[in-house]
Structure formats: C-alpha cells, structure tokens
CSV table of all heavy atoms in Angstrom, one decimal:
chain,number,residue,atom,x,y,z
I,1,LYS,N,-0.7,-3.6,-28.1
I,1,LYS,CA,-1.7,-4.3,-27.3
I,1,LYS,C,-1.1,-4.4,-25.8
I,1,LYS,O,-1.8,-4.2,-24.9
I,1,LYS,CB,-2.1,-5.6,-27.8
I,1,LYS,CG,-3.0,-5.5,-29.0
I,1,LYS,CD,-3.4,-6.9,-29.6
I,1,LYS,CE,-4.2,-6.7,-30.8
I,1,LYS,NZ,-4.2,-7.8,-31.7
I,2,ASN,N,0.2,-4.8,-25.7
I,2,ASN,CA,0.8,-4.9,-24.4
I,2,ASN,C,0.8,-3.6,-23.7
I,2,ASN,O,0.5,-3.6,-22.5
I,2,ASN,CB,2.2,-5.4,-24.6
I,2,ASN,CG,2.3,-6.9,-25.0
I,2,ASN,OD1,1.2,-7.6,-25.0
I,2,ASN,ND2,3.5,-7.4,-25.3
I,3,ILE,N,1.1,-2.5,-24.4
I,3,ILE,CA,1.2,-1.2,-23.7
I,3,ILE,C,-0.2,-0.8,-23.3
I,3,ILE,O,-0.4,-0.2,-22.2
I,3,ILE,CB,1.8,-0.1,-24.7
I,3,ILE,CG1,3.3,-0.4,-24.8
I,3,ILE,CG2,1.5,1.3,-24.1
I,3,ILE,CD1,4.0,0.5,-25.8
I,4,GLU,N,-1.2,-1.2,-24.1
I,4,GLU,CA,-2.6,-0.9,-23.7
I,4,GLU,C,-3.0,-1.6,-22.4
I,4,GLU,O,-3.7,-1.1,-21.6
I,4,GLU,CB,-3.6,-1.2,-24.8
I,4,GLU,CG,-5.0,-0.8,-24.6
I,4,GLU,CD,-5.1,0.7,-24.3
I,4,GLU,OE1,-4.5,1.5,-24.9
I,4,GLU,OE2,-5.9,1.0,-23.3
I,5,LYS,N,-2.5,-2.9,-22.3
I,5,LYS,CA,-2.8,-3.7,-21.1
I,5,LYS,C,-2.2,-3.1,-19.9
I,5,LYS,O,-2.8,-3.0,-18.8
I,5,LYS,CB,-2.4,-5.1,-21.3
I,5,LYS,CG,-3.2,-5.9,-22.2
I,5,LYS,CD,-2.6,-7.3,-22.4
I,5,LYS,CE,-3.4,-8.1,-23.5
I,5,LYS,NZ,-2.8,-9.4,-23.8
I,6,VAL,N,-0.9,-2.6,-20.0
I,6,VAL,CA,-0.2,-1.9,-18.9
I,6,VAL,C,-0.9,-0.6,-18.6
I,6,VAL,O,-1.1,-0.3,-17.4
I,6,VAL,CB,1.3,-1.7,-19.2
I,6,VAL,CG1,2.0,-1.0,-18.1
I,6,VAL,CG2,2.0,-3.0,-19.5
I,7,HIS,N,-1.4,0.1,-19.6
I,7,HIS,CA,-2.1,1.3,-19.4
I,7,HIS,C,-3.4,1.0,-18.6
I,7,HIS,O,-3.8,1.8,-17.7
I,7,HIS,CB,-2.4,2.0,-20.7
I,7,HIS,CG,-3.3,3.2,-20.6
I,7,HIS,ND1,-2.8,4.4,-20.1
I,7,HIS,CD2,-4.6,3.4,-21.0
I,7,HIS,CE1,-3.8,5.3,-20.1
I,7,HIS,NE2,-4.9,4.7,-20.7
I,8,GLN,N,-4.1,0.0,-18.9
I,8,GLN,CA,-5.3,-0.4,-18.2
I,8,GLN,C,-5.0,-0.7,-16.8
I,8,GLN,O,-5.8,-0.3,-15.9
I,8,GLN,CB,-5.9,-1.7,-18.9
I,8,GLN,CG,-7.2,-2.2,-18.2
I,8,GLN,CD,-8.4,-1.3,-18.4
I,8,GLN,OE1,-8.5,-0.7,-19.5
I,8,GLN,NE2,-9.2,-1.2,-17.4
I,9,PHE,N,-3.9,-1.4,-16.5
I,9,PHE,CA,-3.5,-1.7,-15.1
I,9,PHE,C,-3.3,-0.4,-14.3
I,9,PHE,O,-3.8,-0.3,-13.2
I,9,PHE,CB,-2.2,-2.5,-15.2
I,9,PHE,CG,-1.6,-2.8,-13.9
I,9,PHE,CD1,-2.0,-3.9,-13.1
I,9,PHE,CD2,-0.5,-2.1,-13.4
I,9,PHE,CE1,-1.5,-4.2,-11.9
I,9,PHE,CE2,0.1,-2.4,-12.2
I,9,PHE,CZ,-0.4,-3.4,-11.4
I,10,THR,N,-2.5,0.5,-14.9
I,10,THR,CA,-2.2,1.8,-14.2
I,10,THR,C,-3.5,2.6,-14.1
I,10,THR,O,-3.7,3.3,-13.0
I,10,THR,CB,-1.1,2.6,-14.9
I,10,THR,OG1,-1.5,2.9,-16.2
I,10,THR,CG2,0.2,1.9,-14.9
I,11,SER,N,-4.4,2.6,-15.1
I,11,SER,CA,-5.6,3.4,-15.0
I,11,SER,C,-6.5,2.9,-13.8
I,11,SER,O,-7.2,3.7,-13.2
I,11,SER,CB,-6.4,3.3,-16.3
I,11,SER,OG,-5.7,3.9,-17.3
I,12,GLU,N,-6.6,1.6,-13.6
I,12,GLU,CA,-7.3,1.0,-12.5
I,12,GLU,C,-6.8,1.5,-11.2
I,12,GLU,O,-7.6,1.8,-10.3
I,12,GLU,CB,-7.3,-0.5,-12.6
I,12,GLU,CG,-8.2,-1.1,-13.7
I,12,GLU,CD,-8.0,-2.6,-13.9
I,12,GLU,OE1,-7.3,-3.2,-13.0
I,12,GLU,OE2,-8.4,-3.1,-14.9
I,13,ILE,N,-5.5,1.5,-11.1
I,13,ILE,CA,-4.9,2.0,-9.8
I,13,ILE,C,-5.1,3.4,-9.6
I,13,ILE,O,-5.4,3.9,-8.5
I,13,ILE,CB,-3.4,1.6,-9.8
I,13,ILE,CG1,-3.2,0.1,-9.7
I,13,ILE,CG2,-2.7,2.3,-8.6
I,13,ILE,CD1,-1.8,-0.4,-9.8
I,14,ILE,N,-5.1,4.2,-10.7
I,14,ILE,CA,-5.3,5.7,-10.5
I,14,ILE,C,-6.8,5.9,-10.1
I,14,ILE,O,-7.1,6.7,-9.2
I,14,ILE,CB,-5.1,6.4,-11.9
I,14,ILE,CG1,-3.5,6.4,-12.1
I,14,ILE,CG2,-5.7,7.8,-11.9
I,14,ILE,CD1,-3.2,6.9,-13.5
I,15,ALA,N,-7.7,5.1,-10.7
I,15,ALA,CA,-9.1,5.2,-10.3
I,15,ALA,C,-9.3,4.9,-8.8
I,15,ALA,O,-10.1,5.6,-8.1
I,15,ALA,CB,-10.0,4.4,-11.2
I,16,GLU,N,-8.7,3.9,-8.3
I,16,GLU,CA,-8.7,3.5,-6.9
I,16,GLU,C,-8.2,4.6,-6.0
I,16,GLU,O,-8.8,4.9,-5.0
I,16,GLU,CB,-7.9,2.2,-6.6
I,16,GLU,CG,-8.5,0.9,-7.2
I,16,GLU,CD,-7.6,-0.2,-7.1
I,16,GLU,OE1,-6.6,-0.2,-6.3
I,16,GLU,OE2,-7.8,-1.2,-7.8
I,17,HIS,N,-7.1,5.2,-6.5
I,17,HIS,CA,-6.5,6.3,-5.7
I,17,HIS,C,-7.4,7.5,-5.7
I,17,HIS,O,-7.5,8.2,-4.6
I,17,HIS,CB,-5.2,6.7,-6.3
I,17,HIS,CG,-4.0,5.9,-5.8
I,17,HIS,ND1,-3.9,4.6,-6.1
I,17,HIS,CD2,-2.9,6.3,-5.1
I,17,HIS,CE1,-2.8,4.2,-5.5
I,17,HIS,NE2,-2.2,5.2,-4.9
I,18,GLN,N,-8.1,7.8,-6.8
I,18,GLN,CA,-9.1,8.9,-6.8
I,18,GLN,C,-10.2,8.7,-5.8
I,18,GLN,O,-10.7,9.7,-5.1
I,18,GLN,CB,-9.6,9.1,-8.2
I,18,GLN,CG,-8.6,9.7,-9.2
I,18,GLN,CD,-9.2,9.8,-10.6
I,18,GLN,OE1,-9.7,8.8,-11.1
I,18,GLN,NE2,-9.0,11.0,-11.2
I,19,GLU,N,-10.6,7.5,-5.6
I,19,GLU,CA,-11.7,7.1,-4.7
I,19,GLU,C,-11.3,7.2,-3.2
I,19,GLU,O,-12.1,7.6,-2.4
I,19,GLU,CB,-12.3,5.8,-5.0
I,19,GLU,CG,-13.0,5.6,-6.3
I,19,GLU,CD,-13.4,4.2,-6.7
I,19,GLU,OE1,-13.3,3.3,-5.8
I,19,GLU,OE2,-13.7,4.0,-7.8
I,20,THR,N,-10.0,6.9,-3.0
I,20,THR,CA,-9.6,6.8,-1.6
I,20,THR,C,-8.6,7.9,-1.2
I,20,THR,O,-8.0,7.8,-0.2
I,20,THR,CB,-8.8,5.4,-1.4
I,20,THR,OG1,-7.7,5.3,-2.3
I,20,THR,CG2,-9.8,4.3,-1.6
I,21,LEU,N,-8.5,9.0,-2.0
I,21,LEU,CA,-7.6,10.0,-1.8
I,21,LEU,C,-7.9,10.8,-0.5
I,21,LEU,O,-9.0,11.2,-0.2
I,21,LEU,CB,-7.6,11.0,-3.0
I,21,LEU,CG,-6.7,12.2,-2.9
I,21,LEU,CD1,-5.2,11.8,-2.9
I,21,LEU,CD2,-7.0,13.2,-4.0
I,22,ASP,N,-6.8,11.0,0.3
I,22,ASP,CA,-6.8,11.9,1.5
I,22,ASP,C,-5.8,13.0,1.2
I,22,ASP,O,-4.6,12.7,1.3
I,22,ASP,CB,-6.5,11.1,2.8
I,22,ASP,CG,-6.4,12.0,4.0
I,22,ASP,OD1,-6.7,13.2,3.9
I,22,ASP,OD2,-6.1,11.5,5.1
I,23,PRO,N,-6.3,14.2,0.8
I,23,PRO,CA,-5.3,15.2,0.4
I,23,PRO,C,-4.3,15.6,1.5
I,23,PRO,O,-3.2,16.1,1.2
I,23,PRO,CB,-6.2,16.4,0.1
I,23,PRO,CG,-7.6,15.8,-0.1
I,23,PRO,CD,-7.7,14.6,0.7
I,24,THR,N,-4.6,15.3,2.7
I,24,THR,CA,-3.7,15.7,3.8
I,24,THR,C,-2.6,14.7,4.0
I,24,THR,O,-1.7,14.9,4.8
I,24,THR,CB,-4.5,15.9,5.1
I,24,THR,OG1,-5.1,14.7,5.5
I,24,THR,CG2,-5.5,17.0,5.0
I,25,CYS,N,-2.8,13.5,3.4
I,25,CYS,CA,-1.8,12.4,3.7
I,25,CYS,C,-1.5,11.6,2.3
I,25,CYS,O,-2.0,10.5,2.2
I,25,CYS,CB,-2.3,11.5,4.7
I,25,CYS,SG,-1.2,10.2,5.2
I,26,PRO,N,-0.7,12.2,1.4
I,26,PRO,CA,-0.4,11.5,0.2
I,26,PRO,C,0.4,10.3,0.4
I,26,PRO,O,1.4,10.3,1.2
I,26,PRO,CB,0.4,12.6,-0.6
I,26,PRO,CG,0.8,13.6,0.3
I,26,PRO,CD,-0.1,13.5,1.5
I,27,ARG,N,0.0,9.2,-0.2
I,27,ARG,CA,0.7,7.9,0.0
I,27,ARG,C,1.8,7.7,-1.0
I,27,ARG,O,2.7,6.8,-0.8
I,27,ARG,CB,-0.4,6.8,-0.2
I,27,ARG,CG,-1.5,6.8,0.7
I,27,ARG,CD,-2.7,6.0,0.3
I,27,ARG,NE,-3.3,6.6,-0.9
I,27,ARG,CZ,-4.5,6.3,-1.3
I,27,ARG,NH1,-5.2,5.2,-0.8
I,27,ARG,NH2,-5.0,6.9,-2.4
I,28,ASP,N,1.7,8.3,-2.2
I,28,ASP,CA,2.7,8.0,-3.2
I,28,ASP,C,2.6,9.1,-4.3
I,28,ASP,O,2.0,10.1,-4.2
I,28,ASP,CB,2.3,6.7,-3.8
I,28,ASP,CG,0.8,6.6,-4.2
I,28,ASP,OD1,0.2,7.6,-4.6
I,28,ASP,OD2,0.2,5.5,-4.1
I,29,PHE,N,3.3,8.8,-5.4
I,29,PHE,CA,3.4,9.7,-6.6
I,29,PHE,C,2.0,10.1,-7.1
I,29,PHE,O,1.7,11.2,-7.4
I,29,PHE,CB,4.2,9.1,-7.7
I,29,PHE,CG,4.2,9.9,-9.0
I,29,PHE,CD1,5.0,11.1,-9.1
I,29,PHE,CD2,3.4,9.5,-10.0
I,29,PHE,CE1,5.0,11.8,-10.2
I,29,PHE,CE2,3.4,10.3,-11.2
I,29,PHE,CZ,4.2,11.4,-11.3
I,30,ILE,N,1.1,9.1,-7.2
I,30,ILE,CA,-0.2,9.3,-7.8
I,30,ILE,C,-1.0,10.3,-6.9
I,30,ILE,O,-1.6,11.2,-7.4
I,30,ILE,CB,-1.0,8.0,-8.0
I,30,ILE,CG1,-0.3,7.1,-9.1
I,30,ILE,CG2,-2.5,8.2,-8.3
I,30,ILE,CD1,-0.9,5.7,-9.2
I,31,ASP,N,-1.0,10.1,-5.6
I,31,ASP,CA,-1.7,11.0,-4.7
I,31,ASP,C,-1.1,12.4,-4.8
I,31,ASP,O,-1.9,13.4,-4.8
I,31,ASP,CB,-1.6,10.5,-3.2
I,31,ASP,CG,-2.5,9.4,-2.9
I,31,ASP,OD1,-3.3,9.0,-3.8
I,31,ASP,OD2,-2.5,8.9,-1.8
I,32,ALA,N,0.2,12.5,-4.9
I,32,ALA,CA,0.8,13.9,-5.0
I,32,ALA,C,0.3,14.5,-6.3
I,32,ALA,O,0.0,15.7,-6.3
I,32,ALA,CB,2.3,13.7,-4.9
I,33,PHE,N,0.3,13.8,-7.3
I,33,PHE,CA,-0.2,14.3,-8.6
I,33,PHE,C,-1.6,14.7,-8.6
I,33,PHE,O,-2.0,15.8,-9.0
I,33,PHE,CB,0.1,13.3,-9.7
I,33,PHE,CG,0.1,13.8,-11.1
I,33,PHE,CD1,1.3,14.0,-11.8
I,33,PHE,CD2,-1.1,14.1,-11.8
I,33,PHE,CE1,1.3,14.5,-13.1
I,33,PHE,CE2,-1.1,14.6,-13.1
I,33,PHE,CZ,0.1,14.8,-13.7
I,34,LEU,N,-2.5,13.9,-7.9
I,34,LEU,CA,-3.9,14.2,-7.8
I,34,LEU,C,-4.1,15.5,-7.0
I,34,LEU,O,-5.0,16.3,-7.3
I,34,LEU,CB,-4.6,13.0,-7.2
I,34,LEU,CG,-4.8,11.8,-8.1
I,34,LEU,CD1,-5.4,10.6,-7.2
I,34,LEU,CD2,-5.6,12.0,-9.3
C-alpha cells in the first residue's frame, strides 16, 4: 500500500510534466524521458 501511495505521488508529477512539457527546454529527468 505504501509503494502504491508513492507511485500515485510520482504519477501525479508525471501527469503535470506531460501537460507543461516544453521539448526544447527539459527541466529534469522526467522531461528528458518524455
């Protein structure tokens, strides 16, 4: 259950990154991966 909560936390951040992604200016690991 704890791992699922951490997964939920990271999933929310990934979703935010997908919405605000600027391919020309990666901010972090998630943007580079996207």
Side-chain angles (χ1 to χ4, degrees):
K1 286 181 181 153
N2 288 352
I3 290 173
E4 188 52 44
K5 288 177 186 174
V6 177
H7 176 69
Q8 178 70 34
F9 176 83
T10 58
S11 294
E12 288 171 11
I13 292 175
I14 289 169
E16 288 172 19
H17 275 64
Q18 286 174 310
E19 292 171 13
T20 60
L21 178 67
D22 177 3
T24 62
C25 186
R27 301 165 286 195
D28 51 33
F29 173 79
I30 293 174
D31 281 357
F33 199 101
L34 290 171

